[in-house]
Amino acid sequence: MKPARFDYVAPTNLDDALSALAAGGGEARALAGGQSLVPMLNFRLGGPATLVDLNAVDELAFVEPTEEGGLRLGAMARQQTLEHDPLVRIRAPLLAEAAPWIAHAQIRSRGTIGGSLAHADPAAELPALLMVLGAQARVARAARGSESGARIERASSLCDLYLGPFFTSLEADEILTEVEIPGLRVGEGTAFAELARRRGDYAIVGVAVRVRLGADGLCEDAAISLINAGPTPCLAEDAAAALLGEVPTPAAIANAAEIASLQCSPAADMHGSVAYRRHLVRVLTNRVLLRARGRARERVV
Ligand SMILES: Cc1cc2nc3c(=O)[nH]c(=O)nc-3n(C[C@H](O)[C@H](O)[C@H](O)COP(=O)(O)OP(=O)(O)OC[C@H]3O[C@@H](n4cnc5c(N)ncnc54)[C@H](O)[C@@H]3O)c2cc1C
């Protein structure tokens, strides 16, 4: 099928893009890499009156270091950047480790960071990866009515962004402009694993973790996020909390993995039952926590 008719605008700066979205009165959509939106339009799953193409908005396509040792990723930075940019490898090695699992190389060369976050697929890797790293999203819209200034901006934690499958707290006139990721701290290690039927397929289940160890070997901080184990990307908070203040022995890690598998809420589909997905959450959480613990130990001073 071909999409229904729509108007098309291609602004070259963020303010014009925000104005075009606002002028759409709720019937305009941003077009980023088009890797999810264009197939949806072709299947006539939703028909915006106007497409606001962000591909010429160069100010949204960046990867920059922050003074605190972290990273800022512009919404129009391509997913392939995560795989190849040396700065990402050093400052957010979790993203470089997981990027090859996001779709196929051809899709990563067009698909964007902002598009993946805004699309809110519970099986997507990036929302869960950025959540476990404690990233903050920045969102902008044009001023409405009596508001002064051309642009209104707000920050959102990734947890607050996701309301349901393919459903975010972004309003129709808002653009997600960037995410900021804190730098890796001393004693901190991250790791990722997923099971997919074939390389490039969406995850049946995936897990990303971050642990921080003190000089005494105790776990000072931990975060575990699950991919395709619930209606939204989600943090397994009780599982991570079970590690705090503990030496992350294999038994403590197995306990955290068990909690994650009991408390997640996966759905069954043709690729796996609920029981199978819970099993995968337990096995993968155990595996990546052990790996992250090893990496954290190498960074303890
Ligand atoms: C065959 C195939 C396999 C795939 N496998 C995977 C996979 O394994 N893992 C995975 O994570 N993804 C996968 N994808 C999806 C791919 O990663 C997409 O690139 C991504 O989901 C959407 O990014 P995009 O830049 O293409 O966004 P688009 O398709 O252009 O937009 C997606 C949605 O986000 C909105 N949007 C885009 N940018 C913004 C913004 N800055 N602010 C507000 N709203 C915005 C659009 O309006 C639209 O609603 C796959 C896609 C295909 C076709």
Side-chain angles (χ1 to χ4, degrees):
M1 261 166 76
K2 290 292 163 206
R5 290 180 68 86
F6 54 80
D7 290 331
Y8 171 84
V9 288
T12 53
N13 63 64
L14 178 57
D15 285 323
D16 287 351
L18 294 171
S19 301
L21 270 188
E27 297 298 321
R29 291 276 282 278
L31 171 70
Q35 301 302 299
S36 298
L37 182 56
V38 170
M40 285 170 62
L41 295 181
N42 285 343
F43 284 118
R44 303 213 173 188
L45 297 169
T50 307
L51 276 191
V52 180
D53 188 343
L54 303 181
N55 283 279
V57 183
D58 292 341
E59 68 199 275
L60 293 179
F62 62 86
V63 174
E64 282 178 10
T66 65
E67 284 180 10
E68 298 75 33
L71 276 180
R72 288 173 56 226
L73 305 175
M76 288 302 291
R78 307 288 165 179
Q79 294 156 4
Q80 69 174 7
T81 316
L82 304 176
E83 209 175 343
H84 302 301
D85 191 313
L87 196 61
V88 177
R89 246 166 222 291
I90 293 164
R91 296 203 168 199
L94 180 70
L95 298 181
E97 179 181 4
W101 291 87
I102 303 171
H104 306 273
Q106 294 87 340
I107 291 167
R108 293 195 293 277
S109 75
R110 292 299 300 164
T112 63
I113 287 159
S116 180
L117 294 178
H119 189 53
D121 188 328
E125 288 84 359
L126 264 180
L129 294 167
L130 290 167
M131 216 177 246
V132 93
L133 293 176
Q136 284 270 326
R138 290 204 70 78
V139 174
R141 64 172 169 81
R144 297 173 192 147
S146 59
E147 287 171 340
S148 58
R151 194 193 295 179
I152 308 290
E153 294 186 283
R154 66 180 175 94
S156 171
S157 76
L158 282 219
C159 292
D160 291 341
L161 195 62
Y162 295 107
L163 304 179
F166 305 99
F167 182 34
T168 69
S169 57
L170 290 173
E171 299 200 34
D173 60 350
E174 287 186 319
I175 289 177
L176 190 156
T177 53
E178 66 174 76
V179 282
E180 183 168 337
I181 305 165
L184 263 191
R185 296 175 61 178
V186 168
E188 203 156 58
T190 55
F192 165 83
E194 80 171 42
L195 185 84
R197 284 194 69 221
R198 295 163 305 192
R199 198 63 177 245
D201 282 2
Y202 279 100
I204 298 175
V205 161
V207 182
V209 301
R210 176 176 57 80
V211 292
R212 192 173 80 240
L213 303 180
D216 52 8
L218 299 182
C219 179
E220 293 180 340
D221 192 16
I224 300 170
S225 72
L226 307 178
I227 298 162
N228 217 5
T232 61
C234 57
L235 290 177
E237 289 177 342
D238 289 347
L243 291 169
L244 295 184
E246 303 286 330
V247 175
T249 59
I253 284 175
N255 177 49
E258 183 70 17
I259 295 171
S261 102
L262 291 173
Q263 294 195 349
C264 64
S265 44
D269 64 14
M270 62 191 287
H271 300 302
S273 64
V274 168
Y276 178 56
R277 283 201 159 88
R278 285 193 195 282
H279 168 76
L280 285 179
V281 167
R282 185 171 54 72
V283 170
L284 295 180
T285 304
N286 196 72
R287 189 177 298 166
V288 286
L289 279 173
L290 287 169
R291 202 185 307 147
R293 180 190 67 169
R295 291 172 179 170
R297 282 179 176 162
E298 286 169 13
R299 291 177 52 85
V300 171
V301 284

